[in-house]
Amino acid sequence: MTEPAQQPLTGYNFAYLDEQTKRMIRRSILKAVAIPGHQIPFGSREMPLPYGWGTGGIQVTASIIGKDDTLKVIDQGADDTTNAVSIRKFFAATAGVATTERTTEATIVQTRHRIPETPLTENQIIVYQVPIPEPLRWLEPREVETRKMHALAEYGPMHVQLYEQIAKYGRIAASYDYPVVVNGRYLMRPSPIPKFDNPKMDNNPALQLFGAGREKRIYAVPPYTSVKSLDFEDYPFSVESWEHCCALCGSTDSYLDEIITDDRGGKMFVCSDTDYCTQRQENGHFGPLGSEAAE
Amino acid sequence: MYVAVKGGEKAIDNAHRLLAEERRGDPESPEVSLKQIDQQLSHSVDRVMTEGALYDRELAALAIKQARGDLVEAIFLLRAYRTTLSRFGASEPIDTAKLLIRRRISATYKDLPGGQVLGPTFDYTHRLLDFSLVDGTEPEAAAESDGDPDTPMPRVVDLLNQEGLIESEDADDDTPVGDVTREAMTLPADRDVRLQMLARGDEGFVLSLGYSTQRGYGRNHPFAGEIRLGEVEVDFTPPELGFPVTLGEITVTECQMVNQFAGSATEPPQFTRGYGISFGHCERKTMAMANVDRALRARDLGEDVSAPAQDEEFVLYHVDNVEASGFVQHLKLPHYVDFQSELDTVRRLRADAQARQAGVAAE
Amino acid sequence: MNAQSPDHNTAGLDHQRTFRLVLEGMSRPGRLVTLDAGERPVAALNAASAAVARTLLDDTTPLWIDPALADDSVIDFLRFHCGCPVTADPGAAAFALAGDGLPALERFSIGDDEFPEASTTIILQVERLAPGADVVLAGPGIDGTSGIADPGLAADFWPQWAALTPLYPCGIDIILTAGDTLCCLPRTVRRVLGRPGEAQ
């Protein structure tokens, strides 16, 4: 579960990035914190992992992590998905830091597509991997234009887009990467988390940092900061829900993965957050299939 | 009983071992050496150095070997290595007028000072598979030039410039040169940044864009003023010395396109320029780059911006193959959480629609 | 390979520790953060200012220095540890290092609406940083309100600070330092009436 700190890889700087690069990224992070939700351009470096595979999150983590940190890396909520494994190994090798799968033991959580179900605390920083940081990108592909729209807080077109979905489908059809307004000012992409996780961003005690490597942007949500999902009075924001509980731990309030079990329409639902699910089972909570394992 | 898929770490380790095995291929066949790649696949090395933005033939050869000949992957390897290198400073600008010429052709003049030098080129080869290479044969020696190697070879654009026929480009030594590897690009970008992006850019993408300008999407009437290939010294001025010292010699290919003339009420008509340069011998790339450079100058020259090659934001944000390859291929990472979210939405929308239909039917 | 000398790496780890504390301060305005910064390296700078400068400044960050602080030892220290260019124009400074000679805030850069981050961050040495309720703050990063004892800022500081608020997202971020302690005032923070800990 938890791997202790080890001697970092020789031949490379601690956590891979050189000190000058870290200083540049650190300055960008401080500005990002001071202007919640605003995207700060930064001199993103070419990392030894491909663009689109978490290079922004990796650079942010590399710039904040220290010898005493304990790192957790998740992808789709799970610690053992291949890319999460790969990124965790990268930091175990280059920084020699302790790693963990337990949310409660981590000081830094790097994530792709989920926020852990276990509430974060003041002593934690969550780092999101961001593919496309610009919330207005699908409305306006041009950077020059979207920059002006942010400058003027000209977010009407986004409301129009959501309203058009209501007109067409009878409800807002956005499901993940659901746009939010941070601190009442900046429209922000929460990264492709399901909207189920959006409410966790609001007034969170932990610092939330976002890194987009290929797009070369860093942004942040400080602790205890308002994060509001866009909606309308008559069409309030709502999240995904399931008719089932988790088949393993019986949870009824966590985000579930749908798993196809045969080719005759058989399926089951289990927690996407593997640590949360494991903790619940260790504490004696079982779903319809989990109890069998306990016997 | 359902057991969640575990063991990602083991699977990755094993995949890496399999990859190494496949890279090596049949152990009975001799391992290819870096020297062989450098010497016999030299255009691959040139491309990897150019787009990898690092002049080191041996490292480029290593990257090609490690990438099993996948050049975009090799470029990525070289870029990732380059990032870790400490910077001591910037070299003096290279002077391509002083190139030790191995090849130099101009399409705009029949003859010119220094002459046309065909050099090593595929241009007039007949593309017939040469079966004598199957077992390898010693090539016939080329004749040595009897020309004086000290004959000056002025650049064609400099000759045009004497008459004021082409726009002049004076280096502005006071303005710092942009560097997209240190600072995020901001738009509109200046020409230094555009040229850097194009030089590092994917040859295929630049080629197609350059081609599109010739087919009318942002036509700018290019003439290949000059293409030159050769060796040039790189000088560096250490602050503690205060005078330049030569670090070494690199091979470069440079293309200067002479493009459609422009004039205004105050300026008499002049030809304009497009510029391309690469490490090593990358002629196709430099020519296409010069076409695209010229197309991207449309805004500066007061021309309509209507074609893809003229669209700075489109070109610069999509020209880098390390970025493009990573993001296209990231689609194979798991996205099942988002997909589940979409499933939830689509099921709700379908339920709404069915309810509406049922309501209509009941009326 | 980018092998680093052991010395270099030790400095790197020091910078990381300092940065994390600055980040904690910037994320939680009004929180007093104590650095393990050791002795002050030069007389005119407190230990926290020196540590923050070493951690954040380099040859890409023009620095404006309060003339009251800019003695030869400070300039030598900054040149050796940071290599930052020194500018006489506060409006051109990425960072400023100031004490009692802090000029009007409007003389520093506040960025513009498209690039509000192109602003000056001020490292401001104050008399004291201690728990208290003389200055009560609210804003992002603060659960309700937070408070500190009067740090001894000039009388016109808070009116100037309040005047910047309507210009948000443009603005200035300040790192207050005293001894080996710091406390941050990002541009989002407001001074409010009331007592620390109260909901706003």
PDB file of all heavy atoms in Angstrom, chain A residues 46 51 76 89 112 142-143 171 175 192 216 240-241 255 258, chain B residues 13 79 311 313 323 326 334 337-338 340-342 347-348 352:
ATOM      1  N   GLU A  46       9.699  19.758 -22.169  1.00  0.00           N
ATOM      2  CA  GLU A  46       9.464  18.421 -22.701  1.00  0.00           C
ATOM      3  C   GLU A  46       9.861  17.408 -21.647  1.00  0.00           C
ATOM      4  O   GLU A  46      10.979  17.402 -21.169  1.00  0.00           O
ATOM      5  CB  GLU A  46      10.274  18.214 -23.971  1.00  0.00           C
ATOM      6  CG  GLU A  46       9.438  18.540 -25.168  1.00  0.00           C
ATOM      7  CD  GLU A  46      10.131  19.406 -26.163  1.00  0.00           C
ATOM      8  OE1 GLU A  46      11.240  19.898 -25.870  1.00  0.00           O
ATOM      9  OE2 GLU A  46       9.570  19.591 -27.244  1.00  0.00           O
ATOM     10  N   TYR A  51       3.315  14.148 -24.120  1.00  0.00           N
ATOM     11  CA  TYR A  51       2.288  15.177 -23.952  1.00  0.00           C
ATOM     12  C   TYR A  51       0.918  14.504 -24.026  1.00  0.00           C
ATOM     13  O   TYR A  51       0.688  13.644 -24.869  1.00  0.00           O
ATOM     14  CB  TYR A  51       2.370  16.187 -25.089  1.00  0.00           C
ATOM     15  CG  TYR A  51       3.464  17.214 -24.955  1.00  0.00           C
ATOM     16  CD1 TYR A  51       4.386  17.408 -25.979  1.00  0.00           C
ATOM     17  CD2 TYR A  51       3.565  18.006 -23.824  1.00  0.00           C
ATOM     18  CE1 TYR A  51       5.375  18.380 -25.883  1.00  0.00           C
ATOM     19  CE2 TYR A  51       4.546  18.976 -23.719  1.00  0.00           C
ATOM     20  CZ  TYR A  51       5.446  19.162 -24.741  1.00  0.00           C
ATOM     21  OH  TYR A  51       6.415  20.119 -24.641  1.00  0.00           O
ATOM     22  N   GLN A  76      -8.499   7.651 -13.328  1.00  0.00           N
ATOM     23  CA  GLN A  76      -9.854   7.104 -13.272  1.00  0.00           C
ATOM     24  C   GLN A  76     -10.226   6.711 -11.837  1.00  0.00           C
ATOM     25  O   GLN A  76     -11.047   5.824 -11.626  1.00  0.00           O
ATOM     26  CB  GLN A  76     -10.013   5.872 -14.187  1.00  0.00           C
ATOM     27  CG  GLN A  76      -9.441   6.011 -15.581  1.00  0.00           C
ATOM     28  CD  GLN A  76     -10.148   7.094 -16.393  1.00  0.00           C
ATOM     29  OE1 GLN A  76     -11.342   7.024 -16.641  1.00  0.00           O
ATOM     30  NE2 GLN A  76      -9.403   8.104 -16.785  1.00  0.00           N
ATOM     31  N   LYS A  89       5.866   5.522 -10.480  1.00  0.00           N
ATOM     32  CA  LYS A  89       7.235   4.988 -10.615  1.00  0.00           C
ATOM     33  C   LYS A  89       8.224   6.095 -10.978  1.00  0.00           C
ATOM     34  O   LYS A  89       9.362   6.090 -10.524  1.00  0.00           O
ATOM     35  CB  LYS A  89       7.276   3.922 -11.730  1.00  0.00           C
ATOM     36  CG  LYS A  89       6.837   2.562 -11.279  1.00  0.00           C
ATOM     37  CD  LYS A  89       6.898   1.569 -12.434  1.00  0.00           C
ATOM     38  CE  LYS A  89       8.285   0.959 -12.612  1.00  0.00           C
ATOM     39  NZ  LYS A  89       8.233  -0.222 -13.520  1.00  0.00           N
ATOM     40  N   ARG A 112      -5.850  12.103 -12.514  1.00  0.00           N
ATOM     41  CA  ARG A 112      -6.420  12.267 -13.835  1.00  0.00           C
ATOM     42  C   ARG A 112      -7.870  11.795 -13.751  1.00  0.00           C
ATOM     43  O   ARG A 112      -8.144  10.659 -13.368  1.00  0.00           O
ATOM     44  CB  ARG A 112      -5.621  11.429 -14.848  1.00  0.00           C
ATOM     45  CG  ARG A 112      -6.183  11.432 -16.244  1.00  0.00           C
ATOM     46  CD  ARG A 112      -5.211  10.843 -17.272  1.00  0.00           C
ATOM     47  NE  ARG A 112      -5.888  10.754 -18.548  1.00  0.00           N
ATOM     48  CZ  ARG A 112      -6.506   9.658 -18.985  1.00  0.00           C
ATOM     49  NH1 ARG A 112      -6.477   8.542 -18.289  1.00  0.00           N
ATOM     50  NH2 ARG A 112      -7.141   9.670 -20.137  1.00  0.00           N
ATOM     51  N   ARG A 142      -9.831  30.006 -31.034  1.00  0.00           N
ATOM     52  CA  ARG A 142      -8.676  30.901 -31.056  1.00  0.00           C
ATOM     53  C   ARG A 142      -8.310  31.455 -29.688  1.00  0.00           C
ATOM     54  O   ARG A 142      -9.100  32.115 -29.032  1.00  0.00           O
ATOM     55  CB  ARG A 142      -8.930  32.064 -32.014  1.00  0.00           C
ATOM     56  CG  ARG A 142      -8.865  31.615 -33.420  1.00  0.00           C
ATOM     57  CD  ARG A 142      -9.186  32.665 -34.424  1.00  0.00           C
ATOM     58  NE  ARG A 142      -9.342  31.966 -35.681  1.00  0.00           N
ATOM     59  CZ  ARG A 142      -8.326  31.514 -36.408  1.00  0.00           C
ATOM     60  NH1 ARG A 142      -7.097  31.758 -36.035  1.00  0.00           N
ATOM     61  NH2 ARG A 142      -8.536  30.838 -37.498  1.00  0.00           N
ATOM     62  N   GLU A 143      -7.060  31.201 -29.338  1.00  0.00           N
ATOM     63  CA  GLU A 143      -6.483  31.694 -28.090  1.00  0.00           C
ATOM     64  C   GLU A 143      -6.605  33.219 -27.967  1.00  0.00           C
ATOM     65  O   GLU A 143      -6.950  33.754 -26.913  1.00  0.00           O
ATOM     66  CB  GLU A 143      -5.007  31.249 -28.096  1.00  0.00           C
ATOM     67  CG  GLU A 143      -4.068  31.971 -27.170  1.00  0.00           C
ATOM     68  CD  GLU A 143      -4.246  31.539 -25.740  1.00  0.00           C
ATOM     69  OE1 GLU A 143      -4.876  30.497 -25.526  1.00  0.00           O
ATOM     70  OE2 GLU A 143      -3.772  32.262 -24.851  1.00  0.00           O
ATOM     71  N   ARG A 171     -32.505  19.093 -20.991  1.00  0.00           N
ATOM     72  CA  ARG A 171     -31.625  19.216 -19.815  1.00  0.00           C
ATOM     73  C   ARG A 171     -30.222  19.565 -20.287  1.00  0.00           C
ATOM     74  O   ARG A 171     -29.915  19.436 -21.475  1.00  0.00           O
ATOM     75  CB  ARG A 171     -31.628  17.946 -18.976  1.00  0.00           C
ATOM     76  CG  ARG A 171     -31.091  16.722 -19.724  1.00  0.00           C
ATOM     77  CD  ARG A 171     -30.881  15.559 -18.781  1.00  0.00           C
ATOM     78  NE  ARG A 171     -32.131  14.895 -18.437  1.00  0.00           N
ATOM     79  CZ  ARG A 171     -32.445  14.513 -17.199  1.00  0.00           C
ATOM     80  NH1 ARG A 171     -31.617  14.797 -16.212  1.00  0.00           N
ATOM     81  NH2 ARG A 171     -33.563  13.879 -16.947  1.00  0.00           N
ATOM     82  N   SER A 175     -21.469  16.473 -19.271  1.00  0.00           N
ATOM     83  CA  SER A 175     -21.386  15.439 -18.250  1.00  0.00           C
ATOM     84  C   SER A 175     -20.044  15.420 -17.528  1.00  0.00           C
ATOM     85  O   SER A 175     -19.995  15.235 -16.326  1.00  0.00           O
ATOM     86  CB  SER A 175     -21.683  14.075 -18.862  1.00  0.00           C
ATOM     87  OG  SER A 175     -20.937  13.874 -20.039  1.00  0.00           O
ATOM     88  N   PRO A 192     -11.130  16.879 -17.037  1.00  0.00           N
ATOM     89  CA  PRO A 192     -12.242  15.965 -17.366  1.00  0.00           C
ATOM     90  C   PRO A 192     -12.671  15.064 -16.201  1.00  0.00           C
ATOM     91  O   PRO A 192     -12.749  13.850 -16.331  1.00  0.00           O
ATOM     92  CB  PRO A 192     -11.678  15.130 -18.527  1.00  0.00           C
ATOM     93  CG  PRO A 192     -10.458  15.827 -18.977  1.00  0.00           C
ATOM     94  CD  PRO A 192      -9.925  16.558 -17.788  1.00  0.00           C
ATOM     95  N   LYS A 216       0.622  24.303 -22.019  1.00  0.00           N
ATOM     96  CA  LYS A 216       1.523  25.237 -21.321  1.00  0.00           C
ATOM     97  C   LYS A 216       0.783  26.242 -20.435  1.00  0.00           C
ATOM     98  O   LYS A 216       0.980  27.454 -20.526  1.00  0.00           O
ATOM     99  CB  LYS A 216       2.412  25.962 -22.336  1.00  0.00           C
ATOM    100  CG  LYS A 216       3.227  24.964 -23.172  1.00  0.00           C
ATOM    101  CD  LYS A 216       3.910  25.570 -24.369  1.00  0.00           C
ATOM    102  CE  LYS A 216       4.668  24.528 -25.160  1.00  0.00           C
ATOM    103  NZ  LYS A 216       3.853  23.423 -25.696  1.00  0.00           N
ATOM    104  N   GLU A 240     -24.396  12.771 -11.661  1.00  0.00           N
ATOM    105  CA  GLU A 240     -24.717  11.402 -12.027  1.00  0.00           C
ATOM    106  C   GLU A 240     -25.212  10.634 -10.790  1.00  0.00           C
ATOM    107  O   GLU A 240     -24.776  10.901  -9.664  1.00  0.00           O
ATOM    108  CB  GLU A 240     -23.483  10.666 -12.571  1.00  0.00           C
ATOM    109  CG  GLU A 240     -22.853  11.294 -13.803  1.00  0.00           C
ATOM    110  CD  GLU A 240     -21.817  12.373 -13.461  1.00  0.00           C
ATOM    111  OE1 GLU A 240     -21.838  12.882 -12.315  1.00  0.00           O
ATOM    112  OE2 GLU A 240     -21.022  12.710 -14.327  1.00  0.00           O
ATOM    113  N   SER A 241     -26.084   9.657 -11.032  1.00  0.00           N
ATOM    114  CA  SER A 241     -26.486   8.791  -9.919  1.00  0.00           C
ATOM    115  C   SER A 241     -26.753   7.401 -10.468  1.00  0.00           C
ATOM    116  O   SER A 241     -26.936   7.226 -11.675  1.00  0.00           O
ATOM    117  CB  SER A 241     -27.734   9.357  -9.233  1.00  0.00           C
ATOM    118  OG  SER A 241     -28.788   9.445 -10.171  1.00  0.00           O
ATOM    119  N   TYR A 255     -18.800   7.356  -6.865  1.00  0.00           N
ATOM    120  CA  TYR A 255     -18.900   7.287  -8.329  1.00  0.00           C
ATOM    121  C   TYR A 255     -18.590   5.859  -8.759  1.00  0.00           C
ATOM    122  O   TYR A 255     -17.584   5.282  -8.354  1.00  0.00           O
ATOM    123  CB  TYR A 255     -17.902   8.246  -8.966  1.00  0.00           C
ATOM    124  CG  TYR A 255     -18.132   8.438 -10.450  1.00  0.00           C
ATOM    125  CD1 TYR A 255     -19.040   9.382 -10.912  1.00  0.00           C
ATOM    126  CD2 TYR A 255     -17.435   7.677 -11.382  1.00  0.00           C
ATOM    127  CE1 TYR A 255     -19.260   9.562 -12.262  1.00  0.00           C
ATOM    128  CE2 TYR A 255     -17.649   7.847 -12.741  1.00  0.00           C
ATOM    129  CZ  TYR A 255     -18.562   8.802 -13.173  1.00  0.00           C
ATOM    130  OH  TYR A 255     -18.780   8.984 -14.515  1.00  0.00           O
ATOM    131  N   GLU A 258     -19.026   1.144 -14.541  1.00  0.00           N
ATOM    132  CA  GLU A 258     -19.914   0.091 -15.048  1.00  0.00           C
ATOM    133  C   GLU A 258     -19.041  -0.960 -15.710  1.00  0.00           C
ATOM    134  O   GLU A 258     -18.241  -0.641 -16.589  1.00  0.00           O
ATOM    135  CB  GLU A 258     -20.883   0.724 -16.047  1.00  0.00           C
ATOM    136  CG  GLU A 258     -21.826  -0.233 -16.705  1.00  0.00           C
ATOM    137  CD  GLU A 258     -22.859   0.518 -17.561  1.00  0.00           C
ATOM    138  OE1 GLU A 258     -23.163   1.692 -17.241  1.00  0.00           O
ATOM    139  OE2 GLU A 258     -23.334  -0.063 -18.540  1.00  0.00           O
TER     140      GLU A 258
ATOM    141  N   ASP B  13       6.248  -3.627 -16.820  1.00  0.00           N
ATOM    142  CA  ASP B  13       7.628  -4.141 -16.852  1.00  0.00           C
ATOM    143  C   ASP B  13       7.784  -5.184 -17.956  1.00  0.00           C
ATOM    144  O   ASP B  13       8.771  -5.205 -18.681  1.00  0.00           O
ATOM    145  CB  ASP B  13       7.997  -4.742 -15.494  1.00  0.00           C
ATOM    146  CG  ASP B  13       8.192  -3.653 -14.450  1.00  0.00           C
ATOM    147  OD1 ASP B  13       8.324  -2.479 -14.851  1.00  0.00           O
ATOM    148  OD2 ASP B  13       8.204  -3.975 -13.246  1.00  0.00           O
ATOM    149  N   ARG B  79      14.311  15.308 -27.675  1.00  0.00           N
ATOM    150  CA  ARG B  79      13.772  16.505 -27.008  1.00  0.00           C
ATOM    151  C   ARG B  79      13.774  16.328 -25.488  1.00  0.00           C
ATOM    152  O   ARG B  79      14.121  17.247 -24.749  1.00  0.00           O
ATOM    153  CB  ARG B  79      12.329  16.747 -27.453  1.00  0.00           C
ATOM    154  CG  ARG B  79      12.184  17.173 -28.889  1.00  0.00           C
ATOM    155  CD  ARG B  79      11.961  18.669 -28.978  1.00  0.00           C
ATOM    156  NE  ARG B  79      11.489  19.008 -30.305  1.00  0.00           N
ATOM    157  CZ  ARG B  79      10.214  19.276 -30.594  1.00  0.00           C
ATOM    158  NH1 ARG B  79       9.308  19.250 -29.639  1.00  0.00           N
ATOM    159  NH2 ARG B  79       9.858  19.582 -31.814  1.00  0.00           N
ATOM    160  N   ASP B 311      -2.666  31.041 -41.307  1.00  0.00           N
ATOM    161  CA  ASP B 311      -3.322  31.167 -40.008  1.00  0.00           C
ATOM    162  C   ASP B 311      -2.332  30.799 -38.910  1.00  0.00           C
ATOM    163  O   ASP B 311      -2.106  29.638 -38.592  1.00  0.00           O
ATOM    164  CB  ASP B 311      -4.533  30.222 -39.990  1.00  0.00           C
ATOM    165  CG  ASP B 311      -5.353  30.346 -38.722  1.00  0.00           C
ATOM    166  OD1 ASP B 311      -4.782  30.692 -37.666  1.00  0.00           O
ATOM    167  OD2 ASP B 311      -6.564  30.077 -38.782  1.00  0.00           O
ATOM    168  N   GLU B 313      -2.191  30.965 -35.682  1.00  0.00           N
ATOM    169  CA  GLU B 313      -2.572  30.164 -34.516  1.00  0.00           C
ATOM    170  C   GLU B 313      -2.757  28.707 -34.898  1.00  0.00           C
ATOM    171  O   GLU B 313      -2.309  27.794 -34.194  1.00  0.00           O
ATOM    172  CB  GLU B 313      -3.851  30.737 -33.894  1.00  0.00           C
ATOM    173  CG  GLU B 313      -4.160  30.084 -32.583  1.00  0.00           C
ATOM    174  CD  GLU B 313      -5.068  30.886 -31.667  1.00  0.00           C
ATOM    175  OE1 GLU B 313      -5.273  32.093 -31.886  1.00  0.00           O
ATOM    176  OE2 GLU B 313      -5.559  30.281 -30.711  1.00  0.00           O
ATOM    177  N   GLU B 323       4.048  17.212 -29.537  1.00  0.00           N
ATOM    178  CA  GLU B 323       2.760  17.564 -28.927  1.00  0.00           C
ATOM    179  C   GLU B 323       1.617  16.775 -29.574  1.00  0.00           C
ATOM    180  O   GLU B 323       0.778  16.193 -28.899  1.00  0.00           O
ATOM    181  CB  GLU B 323       2.489  19.068 -29.079  1.00  0.00           C
ATOM    182  CG  GLU B 323       3.428  19.937 -28.243  1.00  0.00           C
ATOM    183  CD  GLU B 323       3.235  21.436 -28.464  1.00  0.00           C
ATOM    184  OE1 GLU B 323       2.334  21.840 -29.224  1.00  0.00           O
ATOM    185  OE2 GLU B 323       4.006  22.198 -27.879  1.00  0.00           O
ATOM    186  N   GLY B 326       1.647  12.946 -28.887  1.00  0.00           N
ATOM    187  CA  GLY B 326       1.256  12.648 -27.510  1.00  0.00           C
ATOM    188  C   GLY B 326      -0.243  12.763 -27.322  1.00  0.00           C
ATOM    189  O   GLY B 326      -0.875  11.871 -26.756  1.00  0.00           O
ATOM    190  N   PRO B 334      -7.077   5.078 -20.400  1.00  0.00           N
ATOM    191  CA  PRO B 334      -8.463   4.826 -19.989  1.00  0.00           C
ATOM    192  C   PRO B 334      -9.244   6.130 -19.853  1.00  0.00           C
ATOM    193  O   PRO B 334      -8.726   7.122 -19.344  1.00  0.00           O
ATOM    194  CB  PRO B 334      -8.316   4.131 -18.631  1.00  0.00           C
ATOM    195  CG  PRO B 334      -6.929   4.398 -18.183  1.00  0.00           C
ATOM    196  CD  PRO B 334      -6.105   4.591 -19.416  1.00  0.00           C
ATOM    197  N   VAL B 337     -14.126   6.661 -16.817  1.00  0.00           N
ATOM    198  CA  VAL B 337     -14.902   7.491 -15.887  1.00  0.00           C
ATOM    199  C   VAL B 337     -15.738   8.515 -16.674  1.00  0.00           C
ATOM    200  O   VAL B 337     -16.931   8.684 -16.435  1.00  0.00           O
ATOM    201  CB  VAL B 337     -13.975   8.192 -14.874  1.00  0.00           C
ATOM    202  CG1 VAL B 337     -14.675   9.375 -14.229  1.00  0.00           C
ATOM    203  CG2 VAL B 337     -13.539   7.199 -13.798  1.00  0.00           C
ATOM    204  N   ASP B 338     -15.084   9.171 -17.635  1.00  0.00           N
ATOM    205  CA  ASP B 338     -15.822  10.139 -18.452  1.00  0.00           C
ATOM    206  C   ASP B 338     -16.869   9.444 -19.306  1.00  0.00           C
ATOM    207  O   ASP B 338     -17.956   9.961 -19.518  1.00  0.00           O
ATOM    208  CB  ASP B 338     -14.862  10.910 -19.365  1.00  0.00           C
ATOM    209  CG  ASP B 338     -13.945  11.819 -18.570  1.00  0.00           C
ATOM    210  OD1 ASP B 338     -14.209  12.000 -17.367  1.00  0.00           O
ATOM    211  OD2 ASP B 338     -12.980  12.343 -19.142  1.00  0.00           O
ATOM    212  N   GLN B 340     -18.458   6.768 -18.573  1.00  0.00           N
ATOM    213  CA  GLN B 340     -19.573   6.437 -17.686  1.00  0.00           C
ATOM    214  C   GLN B 340     -20.478   7.648 -17.492  1.00  0.00           C
ATOM    215  O   GLN B 340     -21.702   7.543 -17.481  1.00  0.00           O
ATOM    216  CB  GLN B 340     -19.012   5.967 -16.332  1.00  0.00           C
ATOM    217  CG  GLN B 340     -20.055   5.569 -15.321  1.00  0.00           C
ATOM    218  CD  GLN B 340     -20.908   4.386 -15.766  1.00  0.00           C
ATOM    219  OE1 GLN B 340     -22.070   4.323 -15.466  1.00  0.00           O
ATOM    220  NE2 GLN B 340     -20.328   3.461 -16.505  1.00  0.00           N
ATOM    221  N   SER B 341     -19.843   8.812 -17.366  1.00  0.00           N
ATOM    222  CA  SER B 341     -20.585  10.050 -17.190  1.00  0.00           C
ATOM    223  C   SER B 341     -21.446  10.326 -18.426  1.00  0.00           C
ATOM    224  O   SER B 341     -22.614  10.721 -18.316  1.00  0.00           O
ATOM    225  CB  SER B 341     -19.574  11.172 -16.943  1.00  0.00           C
ATOM    226  OG  SER B 341     -20.209  12.384 -16.723  1.00  0.00           O
ATOM    227  N   GLU B 342     -20.865  10.089 -19.614  1.00  0.00           N
ATOM    228  CA  GLU B 342     -21.623  10.270 -20.851  1.00  0.00           C
ATOM    229  C   GLU B 342     -22.746   9.241 -20.959  1.00  0.00           C
ATOM    230  O   GLU B 342     -23.850   9.560 -21.404  1.00  0.00           O
ATOM    231  CB  GLU B 342     -20.694  10.138 -22.069  1.00  0.00           C
ATOM    232  CG  GLU B 342     -19.704  11.274 -22.207  1.00  0.00           C
ATOM    233  CD  GLU B 342     -20.274  12.478 -22.944  1.00  0.00           C
ATOM    234  OE1 GLU B 342     -21.069  13.200 -22.334  1.00  0.00           O
ATOM    235  OE2 GLU B 342     -19.910  12.684 -24.112  1.00  0.00           O
ATOM    236  N   ARG B 347     -28.333   8.011 -21.305  1.00  0.00           N
ATOM    237  CA  ARG B 347     -29.468   7.205 -20.827  1.00  0.00           C
ATOM    238  C   ARG B 347     -30.602   8.110 -20.326  1.00  0.00           C
ATOM    239  O   ARG B 347     -31.770   7.858 -20.589  1.00  0.00           O
ATOM    240  CB  ARG B 347     -29.007   6.270 -19.704  1.00  0.00           C
ATOM    241  CG  ARG B 347     -28.283   5.051 -20.255  1.00  0.00           C
ATOM    242  CD  ARG B 347     -27.765   4.154 -19.145  1.00  0.00           C
ATOM    243  NE  ARG B 347     -27.058   3.010 -19.721  1.00  0.00           N
ATOM    244  CZ  ARG B 347     -25.985   2.454 -19.169  1.00  0.00           C
ATOM    245  NH1 ARG B 347     -25.492   2.917 -18.036  1.00  0.00           N
ATOM    246  NH2 ARG B 347     -25.411   1.412 -19.751  1.00  0.00           N
ATOM    247  N   ARG B 348     -30.227   9.164 -19.603  1.00  0.00           N
ATOM    248  CA  ARG B 348     -31.255  10.090 -19.122  1.00  0.00           C
ATOM    249  C   ARG B 348     -31.970  10.777 -20.290  1.00  0.00           C
ATOM    250  O   ARG B 348     -33.196  10.911 -20.299  1.00  0.00           O
ATOM    251  CB  ARG B 348     -30.643  11.170 -18.225  1.00  0.00           C
ATOM    252  CG  ARG B 348     -30.345  10.687 -16.828  1.00  0.00           C
ATOM    253  CD  ARG B 348     -29.540  11.729 -16.078  1.00  0.00           C
ATOM    254  NE  ARG B 348     -28.832  11.114 -14.971  1.00  0.00           N
ATOM    255  CZ  ARG B 348     -29.230  11.173 -13.706  1.00  0.00           C
ATOM    256  NH1 ARG B 348     -30.318  11.828 -13.385  1.00  0.00           N
ATOM    257  NH2 ARG B 348     -28.547  10.584 -12.755  1.00  0.00           N
ATOM    258  N   ASP B 352     -35.874  10.553 -21.162  1.00  0.00           N
ATOM    259  CA  ASP B 352     -36.709  11.743 -21.337  1.00  0.00           C
ATOM    260  C   ASP B 352     -37.469  11.662 -22.661  1.00  0.00           C
ATOM    261  O   ASP B 352     -38.664  11.927 -22.740  1.00  0.00           O
ATOM    262  CB  ASP B 352     -35.841  13.023 -21.370  1.00  0.00           C
ATOM    263  CG  ASP B 352     -35.227  13.331 -20.011  1.00  0.00           C
ATOM    264  OD1 ASP B 352     -35.613  12.674 -19.026  1.00  0.00           O
ATOM    265  OD2 ASP B 352     -34.356  14.223 -19.957  1.00  0.00           O
TER     266      ASP B 352
END
